[in-house]
Amino acid sequence: ESKPHSKIDWTVGMSYNRVRTKQAFFTDFTDILTRGYISLTDYKMNQQTFSQFANVSYNLPYNVTIDGGIVHESDDRQIFNLTTAHLGINNIPYEPQGALTNQFGGHVGVKWQVTKNVLLYYKIARGFKPGGFTANNIVSQAQLVPFKPEWILSHEIGVKADIIPNVLRINAAAFYYDYHGQQILGSMLIPSYGVLGAIVNVPKSRIYGFEGTVQ
């Protein structure tokens, strides 16, 4: 990173994360006449994520600062040794699956310190979440098809102001979120079984509004 209080401030870095998990889900269907059993789904999952990022800001006259950044992330997930046991009835194994995400994100923004106690800002950013698996109650191989990554383009404009220092603070922002492939909890129809919950991708969705706080 750069030295503190430079005209140009910058930070670059990277991170690596590796996770191994073993999970088990019990689901009680004993009160459903067509089933009448307790289900156990267990599996192992390996995940590794490698990220690189760079951020820079430039201080202009009149207390104006522009800043930007970029990030790349590669997320690799493997689910394996998955079985579903309907206790006392059967034990069903499933084939392993993988999900690989490679995404770029970043942001550009401008800040104006109007006075010592009032800051105006605008920011546009692209963020993302990796894909993955819904694996809490598996009765079909089709359920293990991974859901896709989601990404968002967000716009935000706002103000942060200490109107009366240490007495009255007002923060307010207007925002617009443009989602692509948003991950939400939906449902999947399994032939000869019924409807089960599953994380699905919404092709396109939007959230917009205004929020504020007064302290």
Side-chain angles (χ1 to χ4, degrees), residues 121 156-159 170-175 177 208-214:
Y121 69 92
E156 182 176 341
I157 186 169
V159 58
I170 297 177
N171 295 335
F175 59 89
Y177 297 158
Y208 53 89
F210 174 85
E211 62 183 14
T213 61
V214 177

Side-chain angles (χ1 to χ4, degrees), residues 6-195:
S6 301
K7 191 173 183 65
I8 299 178
D9 294 320
W10 56 266
T11 305
V12 297
M14 63 181 65
S15 65
Y16 177 76
N17 184 46
R18 184 176 179 86
V19 180
R20 294 184 176 183
T21 61
K22 177 175 173 57
Q23 301 193 47
F25 293 89
F26 287 89
T27 310
D28 186 357
F29 292 118
T30 54
D31 60 343
I32 300 178
L33 294 178
T34 56
R35 299 177 190 172
Y37 52 73
I38 293 177
S39 173
L40 166 61
T41 295
D42 65 353
Y43 59 86
K44 293 181 179 179
M45 186 164 67
N46 291 344
Q47 176 189 356
Q48 57 181 353
T49 305
F50 182 44
S51 300
Q52 314 88 45
F53 65 90
N55 297 305
V56 63
S57 63
Y58 184 69
N59 300 311
L60 297 171
Y62 304 106
N63 299 319
V64 174
T65 301
I66 57 174
D67 59 73
I70 188 170
V71 60
H72 169 262
E73 181 175 286
S74 177
D75 182 277
D76 185 17
R77 305 181 184 199
Q78 306 290 328
I79 189 169
F80 58 98
N81 289 358
L82 191 147
T83 61
T84 292
H86 300 147
L87 301 183
I89 300 176
N90 57 21
N91 192 345
I92 307 170
Y94 295 95
E95 295 297 318
Q97 283 278 8
L100 177 63
T101 300
N102 272 296
Q103 287 277 355
F104 281 92
H107 71 275
V108 176
V110 58
K111 296 180 290 187
W112 179 26
Q113 194 74 48
V114 183
T115 68
K116 180 181 178 181
N117 300 317
V118 178
L119 173 73
L120 300 177
Y121 69 92
Y122 169 75
K123 181 178 180 180
I124 179 172
R126 185 188 193 276
F128 55 86
K129 287 170 59 178
F133 309 97
T134 307
N136 59 329
N137 182 28
I138 301 299
V139 297
S140 169
Q141 186 71 38
Q143 289 176 266
L144 291 176
V145 175
F147 53 84
K148 298 178 181 179
E150 77 171 33
W151 64 271
I152 177 179
L153 188 65
S154 67
H155 302 261
E156 182 176 341
I157 186 169
V159 58
K160 298 179 183 293
D162 283 338
I163 304 300
I164 305 175
N166 300 316
V167 176
L168 176 62
R169 173 179 296 165
I170 297 177
N171 295 335
F175 59 89
Y176 176 83
Y177 297 158
D178 183 14
Y179 282 96
H180 297 259
Q182 185 178 17
Q183 300 166 1
I184 68 166
L185 181 61
S187 59
M188 173 183 289
L189 176 62
I190 306 298
S192 74
Y193 187 85
V195 176

Side-chain angles (χ1 to χ4, degrees), residues 192-208:
S192 74
Y193 187 85
V195 176
L196 287 172
I199 296 177
V200 299
N201 294 96
V202 177
K204 188 173 177 61
S205 54
R206 295 173 295 176
I207 301 174
Y208 53 89

